[in-house]
Amino acid sequence: QVQLMESGGGSVESGGSLRLSCVASGRIPLSTYCMGWFRQAPGKEREEIATIDNSRGDIRYADSVKGRFTISRDSSGNTLYLQMNSLRPEDTAMYYCARNRYGFCSGSWSYWGQGTQVTVSS
């Protein structure tokens, strides 16, 4: 059974930074799969904001976070990060990491974390 656990959320002022982490349990390293970060604000649909494939050669961002957020993995392959800079109030949401079914990034996400809350005040 694979479990994903996010951490690093919190409350910051507009313009601040946070780094989210996602740690996985399980025998197969996260580096084997495409990984992604998603967020969902109250009353809004879940938004895919950043993905990274297993080779790190295909990294994609939603337009809403491009240039401000950076997705990365550590060298061990079992921790995923999301560095968030220049945070805005509209970034306020619950943030989730997810593991894709494949090494390339498809629309099939197999496992999800429980989420970590990010709140940005103006």
Side-chain angles (χ1 to χ4, degrees), residues 3-121:
Q3 290 185 323
L4 303 178
M5 182 169 294
E6 303 94 338
S7 63
S11 297
V12 296
E13 294 186 349
S14 181
S17 298
L18 285 172
R19 188 175 81 156
L20 305 184
S21 299
C22 173
V23 178
S25 65
R27 293 186 302 163
I28 302 176
L30 289 184
S31 56
T32 304
Y33 299 92
C34 165
M35 295 294 298
W37 285 99
F38 295 74
R39 67 185 182 187
Q40 188 167 22
K44 294 189 176 181
E45 293 188 355
R46 185 174 60 201
E47 178 186 18
E48 179 182 294
I49 57 173
T51 60
I52 181 169
D53 73 342
N54 60 347
S55 70
R56 307 185 194 182
D58 184 12
I59 298 175
R60 303 185 184 189
Y61 298 96
D63 288 343
S64 58
V65 305
K66 198 174 294 183
R68 300 186 299 122
F69 291 11
T70 303
I71 187 172
S72 64
R73 305 175 187 267
D74 75 341
S75 57
S76 75
N78 263 343
T79 305
L80 180 73
Y81 299 105
L82 185 69
Q83 177 67 43
M84 306 187 296
N85 298 328
S86 302
L87 284 161
R88 305 166 180 168
E90 54 263 40
D91 295 318
T92 295
M94 186 71 79
Y95 283 71
Y96 301 90
C97 67
R99 197 196 85 175
N100 201 274
R101 183 177 179 183
Y102 305 107
F104 63 91
C105 294
S106 74
S108 181
W109 297 92
S110 301
Y111 296 97
W112 296 82
Q114 83 292 344
T116 186
Q117 178 68 37
V118 172
T119 303
V120 185
S121 59

